[in-house]
């Protein structure tokens, strides 16, 4: 799918997001919320494979994008979804920051921050998914 980065994970859904939360926190980012979609599905008696999402970021970074184009706030803070496919394989999926930049027609005013956020996402997500 356009704009999505999918990384295979060596860990369970829960452990993948536990690792990601610890990594982003250790780099000074804030974990705003974590949602367990499977637990919510269980509450209404609907089946769903393990699926959890985490929202995290740093206002110093995200604000630069929103100062450029406020609509970028629709895709901020950053988020990552850990999910288990029908074969039991776990994946970590997130929006590519360059896609967010294109979607909101960000300008050169935020180009260096877009690159910094993309580099950071690559680093923490790769680290969270590999042994």
């Amino acid at each position: 799918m356009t704009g999505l980065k999918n990384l295979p994970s060596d860990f369970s859904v829960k452990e993948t997001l536990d690792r990601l939360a610890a990594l982003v926190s250790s780099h000074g980012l804030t974990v705003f919320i974590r949602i367990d979609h499977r637990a919510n599905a269980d509450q209404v008696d609907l089946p769903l494979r393990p699926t959890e999402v985490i929202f995290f970021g740093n206002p110093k970074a995200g604000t630069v994008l929103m100062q450029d184009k406020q609509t970028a706030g629709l895709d901020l803070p950053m988020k990552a979804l850990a999910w288990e496919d029908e074969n039991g394989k776990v994946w970590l999926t997130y929006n590519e920051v360059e896609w967010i930049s294109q979607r909101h027609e960000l300008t050169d005013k935020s180009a260096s921050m877009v690159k910094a956020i993309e580099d950071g996402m690559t680093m923490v997500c790769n680290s969270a998914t590999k042994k």
Side-chain angles (χ1 to χ4, degrees):
M1 284 186 253
T2 302
L4 294 180
K5 181 76 171 183
N6 292 297
L7 300 173
S9 180
D10 295 332
F11 307 100
S12 69
V13 166
K14 180 183 180 334
E15 189 171 356
T16 299
L17 281 196
D18 287 348
R19 291 169 57 87
L20 182 58
L23 281 161
V24 299
S25 294
S26 74
H27 284 89
L29 285 85
T30 301
V31 174
F32 295 107
I33 192 167
R34 182 169 172 171
I35 300 167
D36 184 338
H37 289 300
R38 181 181 188 178
N40 290 334
D42 286 346
Q43 291 178 7
V44 292
D45 296 320
L46 292 173
L48 184 66
R49 290 184 300 274
T51 309
E52 294 186 36
V53 65
I54 188 171
F55 290 69
F56 59 92
N58 178 334
K60 287 184 179 181
T63 300
V64 172
L65 276 61
M66 289 183 281
Q67 286 173 329
D68 190 355
K69 299 286 175 122
Q70 281 182 282
T71 59
L74 187 61
D75 291 308
L76 297 171
M78 295 302 296
K79 58 191 108 354
L81 178 77
W83 55 284
E84 182 181 296
D85 70 18
E86 60 277 357
N87 298 313
K89 179 71 185 147
V90 173
W91 297 89
L92 186 66
T93 302
Y94 64 91
N95 286 325
E96 294 173 332
V97 185
E98 184 56 38
W99 175 82
I100 294 171
S101 176
Q102 291 171 5
R103 179 178 188 204
H104 297 282
E105 300 176 346
L106 299 179
T107 69
D108 288 343
K109 289 190 271 185
S110 58
S112 64
M113 190 58 71
V114 166
K115 177 156 179 25
I117 296 169
E118 183 69 47
D119 291 348
M121 287 295 290
T122 298
M123 188 267 301
V124 295
C125 290
N126 283 336
S127 295
T129 57
K130 301 293 178 239
K131 287 187 179 182

